[in-house]
Amino acid sequence: MRPLLIALLLFGCEAPEEEQEIPVVTVDPGPAFSLGDEQPCASPRSGWDRFTEVGQERGLTEIAVTEDTDKYPLLGFERMVVAEDVDLDGDIDLLIAGVSWLPTVYLNDGTAHFTVGPTVEPGDVFEPDLFGLADLDGNRLPDLVGNQFYRGSWMALNLGGGRFTEVQHLDPGIPGKVAATGVALGDIDFDGDIDAVVSGGAENHDSADVPPTVLLTNEAGVLTATGTLSEGYGVAAIGTTFTDRDWDGQPEILQITGADAPGLPNAFWEYDDGWTDIADELGMALNLAGMGVAVTDLNDDGFMDFCGSDVGAPLCMQTMPDGSYVDVGQALGIEPDVRFDEQWSTLGWAMSFADLDADGETELMQASGYDREAWGRGLVGWPDLLWTRTEPNGPFTDVSAIAGIDIAEDHYGIAEADFDGDGWLDIATAGPLTAPRLFLNSCGSGAWIDVELLGATVNASALGARVEVEADGRVWKREILGPRGSGQSPSRAHVGLGDRNVIDRLTIRWPDGEVTEAFDLPTRRSIEARHPEFVR
């Protein structure tokens, strides 16, 4: 039975000089949800001149360097950006790879001012590449999982307060040297807890001989190699992630081919009494120099679509009526206004979809930076990119220059989150030889909600959960994803709603099949959604 919306609809957000009476809204969302306080915008800003870069003045001061900066800096040491509440104090912290090859922990005071937290100790010779965060041991604190060059994977448990255990090295379980690349976090064996998938990589960058993707299964908070996705071939995929493409509760594993895998296509693994690559039958078996992947429903058909970064404009795979995919990136205008180079228009790494202006339509962000070939040609200082659209299924427009994120630096990681607690998504980027960047977003007149998911004990971050927000006959879908290459955003679902001031229905589809719903909810606030088995 729907809880009763007792009073008037939530007011719109107007400029401060226009006084207005603020109606009172009272809602009973049920035991699975808690509503935060309303956060109206005192000085709404429109347009894309809305970001202010404040990284160093807010404490993001560590500069990612390598031992010999006169030579090509090895990309794996400077490219990861993860945004998550590491210390469970309610605000979003940052982990950025770089200094000493290990993640720097930046703890947020709730106002987007950061201090450097305790150091993650390597425990041994350590050359990490990509990593991500998820609770492995059931204490609700997100733990570190990653890979390292030629030495298998690693993990470090979260002790609270931004502290982690010494790194534990994990045997990859397969012979030979494994140049691990992408890390995906999700439930491989369907027992409810979080496991890991680590894509292989060729020892020789010109070789197509790629080790198979390693499966790491969680047993009582410890990851152990228990098999591979395929005995016959591997996919050198930096952009690797779990995603539920058809929204049926059964996640797939998507691998976007990386630049170090000449001739190898993408892979899309579906589970049916074993993992099978269905990329070819879906039209997804394309080859690209992909380093990141972004996930959203581009055409409102209920299926997840994917954009993969490339050397050149991204490929954006959108579902067709028969369930297959076709590249619509160029047709949608997802290419830079200004080409960086005559040969390459851009060179992309981490990507992410998010509604940054709360108008109901998602933007696409890309971190951009050199690769080996570009470095050899002296092509450095690739600008990051931001595309926006103003209507459902409409074209995208490059607004990077207007937004001011097109700084001539090389960045590999990108993540969006509400770092200052005003309800509007900010952007963090990082790369080698420079301090991280933090672009704070101005609030505006659009409505929004930010849903924090508190999962069951074995999956506290609710990775794999699917969130549906319905208002005025339209449904927005968000997945709670782990790392998607060199970026990971928080385990929260942020939805912009434009001028829609009431949510008709909020549905949380938890990874274990549980479903919780609330109706007639006000907007412009955070909402806490709790799994039926959640214990604080």
Side-chain angles (χ1 to χ4, degrees):
M1 184 129 185
R2 295 191 179 192
L4 178 63
L5 178 61
I6 298 177
L8 299 175
L9 303 184
L10 193 64
F11 65 96
C13 187
E14 303 293 341
E17 63 269 15
E18 298 181 12
E19 295 185 2
Q20 57 182 330
E21 182 179 354
I22 301 177
V24 177
V25 177
T26 304
V27 173
D28 175 12
F33 298 90
S34 296
L35 302 185
D37 295 333
E38 178 188 339
Q39 293 180 270
C41 181
S43 300
R45 175 176 287 187
S46 61
W48 283 103
D49 181 18
R50 59 184 310 114
F51 291 98
T52 304
E53 202 288 310
V54 296
Q56 292 208 45
E57 67 185 74
R58 295 299 183 96
L60 304 182
T61 56
E62 299 291 320
I63 296 178
V65 298
T66 57
E67 293 181 350
D68 187 351
T69 58
D70 294 329
K71 297 181 179 179
Y72 167 71
L74 294 175
L75 301 176
F77 304 153
E78 308 103 354
R79 68 182 176 208
M80 197 74 208
V81 175
V82 173
E84 185 61 282
D85 186 1
V86 172
D87 50 6
L88 298 189
D89 64 352
D91 47 65
I92 303 300
D93 308 302
L94 277 168
L95 271 71
I96 297 179
V99 178
S100 302
W101 299 355
L102 281 161
T104 297
V105 180
Y106 291 100
L107 298 177
N108 187 356
D109 70 353
T111 66
H113 289 81
F114 295 84
T115 56
V116 176
T119 301
V120 180
E121 298 295 338
D124 197 353
V125 177
F126 197 55
E127 298 181 1
D129 188 11
L130 304 180
F131 60 84
L133 283 173
D135 179 26
L136 299 177
D137 55 3
N139 66 354
R140 311 204 68 81
L141 292 164
D143 306 303
L144 273 166
V145 182
N147 63 47
Q148 54 183 323
F149 292 105
Y150 310 118
R151 301 194 62 221
S153 303
W154 57 275
M155 59 180 287
L157 296 177
N158 192 332
L159 298 173
R163 297 177 299 115
F164 289 85
T165 62
E166 186 177 273
V167 164
Q168 303 174 46
H169 298 270
L170 306 174
D171 186 343
I174 57 176
K177 293 183 177 181
V178 181
T181 52
V183 176
L185 299 176
D187 188 1
I188 299 169
D189 51 6
F190 314 110
D191 64 352
D193 59 18
I194 294 299
D195 311 299
V197 170
V198 180
S199 298
E203 181 178 357
N204 184 327
H205 294 298
D206 297 322
S207 171
D209 183 16
V210 179
T213 298
V214 174
L215 305 179
L216 299 168
T217 303
N218 187 348
E219 295 293 340
V222 177
L223 294 175
T224 304
T226 55
T228 62
L229 277 178
S230 171
E231 297 298 332
Y233 65 99
V235 180
I238 293 172
T240 300
T241 194
F242 280 83
T243 179
D244 188 351
R245 75 173 190 90
D246 50 6
W247 219 249
D248 66 350
Q250 175 66 60
E252 290 80 35
I253 301 171
L254 174 61
Q255 295 179 295
I256 298 293
T257 306
D260 292 339
L264 292 179
N266 302 328
F268 210 144
W269 301 88
E270 181 181 67
Y271 190 86
D272 184 9
D273 196 26
W275 292 98
T276 303
D277 183 7
I278 61 171
D280 189 56
E281 64 187 76
L282 293 177
M284 287 282 288
L286 306 178
N287 178 257
L288 67 158
M291 283 73 79
V293 60
V295 182
T296 195
D297 182 2
L298 279 171
N299 55 349
D300 284 349
D301 67 349
F303 286 76
M304 293 294 102
D305 307 306
F306 313 98
C307 287
S309 59
D310 201 355
V311 176
L315 272 68
C316 290
M317 307 303 294
Q318 181 175 289
T319 49
M320 296 293 101
D322 64 357
S324 65
Y325 289 83
V326 65
D327 178 22
V328 297
Q330 186 175 6
L332 290 177
I334 301 177
E335 54 186 353
D337 276 352
V338 179
R339 296 180 66 92
F340 182 82
D341 175 66
E342 291 182 2
Q343 180 178 353
W344 303 318
S345 59
T346 181
L347 207 164
W349 290 81
M351 306 189 80
S352 188
F353 280 108
D355 189 350
L356 300 172
D357 60 351
D359 69 345
E361 308 302 329
T362 57
E363 280 69 53
L364 176 62
M365 297 168 282
Q366 174 187 288
S368 310
Y370 57 78
D371 64 2
R372 288 174 176 82
E373 184 174 350
W375 173 268
R377 293 172 54 190
L379 298 175
V380 297
W382 296 77
D384 298 332
L385 295 170
L386 173 62
W387 293 274
T388 184
R389 72 195 315 188
T390 58
E391 59 185 30
N393 303 313
F396 284 81
T397 302
D398 182 354
V399 294
S400 312
I402 301 172
I405 73 166
D406 62 336
I407 299 171
E409 296 174 349
D410 296 288
H411 296 146
Y412 303 114
I414 194 168
E416 80 286 346
D418 178 14
F419 293 108
D420 55 2
D422 67 351
W424 292 75
L425 295 176
D426 313 302
I427 302 173
T429 61
L433 313 182
T434 184
R437 295 282 186 173
L438 176 62
F439 298 88
L440 291 185
N441 194 359
S442 302
C443 63
S445 60
W448 54 270
I449 61 163
D450 191 77
V451 185
E452 180 181 6
L453 277 73
L454 303 179
T457 303
V458 293
N459 183 3
S461 299
L463 295 187
R466 293 157 294 145
V467 178
E468 298 175 6
V469 175
E470 182 176 350
D472 288 343
R474 186 175 177 186
V475 177
W476 292 262
K477 293 187 173 184
R478 300 286 189 268
E479 285 187 281
I480 305 301
L481 303 173
R484 305 179 307 279
S486 48
Q488 180 179 349
S489 300
S491 53
R492 300 183 181 187
H494 192 280
V495 180
L497 296 162
D499 59 0
R500 303 164 183 88
N501 292 317
V502 170
I503 298 167
D504 298 324
R505 179 175 62 182
L506 170 63
T507 304
I508 313 297
R509 303 185 185 278
W510 301 94
D512 61 1
E514 293 280 355
V515 177
T516 53
E517 290 188 318
F519 299 88
D520 302 326
L521 298 177
T523 59
R524 296 180 177 88
R525 66 191 66 217
S526 297
I527 298 176
E528 185 180 275
R530 296 177 292 275
H531 187 278
E533 297 179 5
F534 167 75
V535 178
R536 195 178 295 276

